[in-house]
Amino acid sequence: MKKIQMVDLKGQYQGIKEEVNRGMQEILEETSFINGPHVHAFQKELEEYLNIKHVIPCANGTDALQIAMMGLGLKPGDEVITADFTFAATVEVIALLQLTPVLVDVDPDTFNIDPEEIRKAITPNTKAIVPVHLFGQTADMDAIMRIAKEHDLYVIEDNAQAIGANYHSVENGISKAGTIGDVSATSFFPSKNLGCYGDGGAIFTNNDELAHTIRGIVNHGMYERYHHDVVGVNSRLDSFQAAVLRAKLKNLDLYNEARKEAAINYTEAFSSYTDIVTPVRSGDCDSHVFHQYTLKIGNGKRDGLAKHLQEKGIPFGIYYPIPLHRQKAYLDDRYNEKDFTVTNQLVKEVISLPMHTELDEEQIQYITQTIINYLNQ
Ligand SMILES: *Cc1c(COP(=O)(O)O)cnc(C)c1O
């Protein structure tokens, strides 16, 4: 059996080696390291894939979130509602911009932000909602967009984990995750579904004016060379990363299909075990691209299982072990533990299994059997 890894980037590289190496070589010959032809080509190709008007590449996903919020002109004191159960980058940039993060609880089945909890958290100072499409599954965008419209709020999608997923809207048909809100942010961190070989990120929007504003912000607030109209940042995708992303974008649907296959195999193997709750897909089969395959392990057995997997050499992840509202940096007197019952439970029960494009049936068989044997004893 091949060694089991949480993510197998080396195996994936074998399939795109020639194209990636050729791209790297071209960039070396051209010495076009920043804003070269590969960056422009990637931008166009991603716009086409997502069917969105503007993709603005930047240095990483955290920057993308920050720049999206800067582009919308959010001001200190504005309240931004986001999920308690997610990676800290989302709340971090809200706080960095001196906006006020308002964390709310999530849905126990999908782990995504609960629209009813968003409603309860709205105040006259609320300006934006940041749904995170967690673990590869789109949040309930119909409900979120309806709330946003009613209260005149911006929607910033954190699409770092769900690139390629389709959202099936009752009202507006099928669209790609990250193309529904006012603006979206994504990450090309190596382990993401569309990952490069370093750091990278992008902002998406259909709004021409916002796109123009953001293109200036990523480049020191310059709209005309050496004229700085707004306070900006320096956030760029480099050409090497763009060359990797171009090769991978062509295969993104195949990669996501391979993840889904692995997820189906896992779920089948676990189907009759009461201590294991397999991922719940709220929509059609293409609405989840399984950035993570995350189980809930009941009856207080999660930590024991984690220890057992470690002993058996099976990698796993606990995403996420601490709710954001209990992180030291984001403590706030307004929070009440009884408003976070779902997240408080999830942090004790979730465990994510190896998930990538190169998993084979033998590996999945070994992983699932090890888990079942442990829980059965
Ligand atoms: C990875 C991730 C980010 C941050 O992306 P970086 O490129 O690492 O800065 C933000 N939000 C979520 C949900 C993520 O998973």
Side-chain angles (χ1 to χ4, degrees):
M1 188 174 62
K2 283 189 298 179
K3 183 176 183 295
I4 299 174
Q5 301 179 73
M6 197 64 188
V7 177
D8 181 4
L9 293 176
K10 198 168 174 188
Q12 192 188 47
Y13 171 60
Q14 299 313 315
I16 50 172
K17 191 169 183 172
E18 238 171 76
E19 188 173 354
V20 169
N21 290 7
R22 193 175 349 107
M24 299 278 173
Q25 201 58 47
E26 272 170 28
I27 294 161
L28 287 168
E29 303 291 342
E30 291 166 352
T31 62
S32 56
F33 303 117
I34 299 283
N35 280 338
H38 278 279
V39 176
H40 294 287
F42 170 63
Q43 176 196 319
K44 291 282 170 240
E45 287 158 8
L46 188 55
E47 284 167 354
E48 214 160 288
Y49 175 82
L50 293 169
N51 191 22
I52 195 153
K53 279 167 90 176
H54 305 282
V55 165
I56 301 130
C58 67
N60 58 67
T62 309
D63 272 10
L65 282 164
Q66 176 180 332
I67 293 158
M69 289 179 204
M70 290 169 76
L72 291 171
L74 300 181
K75 296 280 178 317
D78 287 350
E79 292 177 7
V80 180
I81 298 174
T82 193
D84 190 36
F85 187 64
T86 178
F87 182 57
T90 324
V91 66
E92 176 179 62
V93 300
I94 298 171
L96 264 178
L97 293 173
Q98 295 184 292
L99 313 173
T100 305
V102 177
L103 297 168
V104 302
D105 213 353
V106 298
D107 180 274
D109 294 328
T110 64
F111 314 129
N112 275 324
I113 194 163
D114 182 338
E116 281 318 304
E117 298 299 315
I118 296 175
R119 244 180 228 291
K120 284 193 233 159
I122 291 172
T123 76
N125 295 326
T126 307
K127 288 286 150 47
I129 307 168
V130 186
V132 181
H133 303 311
L134 204 72
F135 301 154
Q137 175 156 234
T138 48
D140 184 353
M141 291 305 290
D142 274 347
I144 292 166
M145 295 308 288
R146 212 175 305 124
I147 295 168
K149 205 168 170 192
E150 277 169 34
H151 296 270
D152 198 19
L153 307 174
Y154 293 120
V155 174
I156 304 158
E157 292 172 77
D158 182 340
N159 196 33
Q161 301 190 0
I163 197 153
N166 281 330
Y167 181 69
H168 294 247
S169 163
V170 174
E171 289 129 50
N172 303 310
I174 303 173
S175 37
K176 288 280 177 210
T179 65
I180 303 155
D182 296 280
V183 58
S184 306
T186 202
S187 163
F188 303 126
F189 185 78
S191 64
K192 304 281 156 118
N193 289 37
L194 179 62
C196 54
Y197 295 163
D199 272 309
I203 303 135
F204 319 146
T205 184
N206 274 314
N207 180 325
D208 297 337
E209 201 179 321
L210 181 59
H212 174 76
T213 304
I214 287 173
R215 287 206 178 90
I217 291 174
V218 298
N219 189 25
H220 302 288
M222 275 196 285
Y223 296 90
E224 199 184 321
R225 208 163 168 74
Y226 299 119
H227 293 251
H228 302 272
D229 295 354
V230 296
V231 177
V233 294
N234 165 25
S235 191
R236 298 184 279 240
L237 181 72
D238 74 65
S239 302
F240 286 127
Q241 304 312 335
V244 175
L245 290 166
R246 290 185 72 192
K248 286 207 191 180
L249 179 59
K250 288 182 192 150
N251 294 295
L252 180 58
D253 288 341
L254 282 174
Y255 291 159
N256 283 340
E257 201 55 44
R259 288 171 178 272
K260 211 159 55 192
E261 278 299 311
I264 288 168
N265 288 337
Y266 273 135
T267 294
E268 257 175 29
F270 292 133
S271 59
S272 49
Y273 295 87
T274 50
D275 287 336
I276 306 174
V277 180
T278 54
V280 175
R281 214 161 43 191
S282 64
D284 293 72
C285 70
D286 54 357
S287 64
H288 198 328
V289 291
F290 290 97
H291 176 60
Q292 299 293 347
Y293 182 86
T294 304
L295 300 174
K296 290 194 284 185
I297 304 294
N299 299 322
K301 293 182 178 174
R302 196 270 313 266
D303 290 341
L305 174 64
K307 194 157 164 278
H308 184 70
L309 291 180
Q310 201 158 20
E311 285 161 10
K312 293 283 177 187
I314 297 174
F316 63 89
I318 306 289
Y319 311 119
Y320 297 90
I322 305 171
L324 289 177
H325 80 275
R326 280 200 257 132
Q327 296 283 358
K328 225 190 251 176
Y330 305 112
L331 293 177
D332 191 318
D333 291 340
R334 289 169 313 161
Y335 294 141
N336 189 330
E337 285 303 323
K338 75 172 176 20
D339 293 328
F340 298 103
T341 49
V342 177
T343 303
N344 284 340
Q345 188 65 21
L346 289 178
V347 296
K348 292 186 232 162
E349 293 187 343
V350 290
I351 187 162
S352 299
L353 303 185
M355 175 49 78
H356 52 78
T357 58
E358 314 300 311
L359 272 176
D360 64 35
E361 286 191 26
E362 189 188 8
Q363 293 174 310
I364 290 179
Q365 168 82 15
Y366 177 74
I367 296 165
T368 53
Q369 210 47 57
T370 304
I371 292 171
I372 289 164
N373 289 345
Y374 174 79
L375 293 174
N376 270 350
Q377 67 185 349

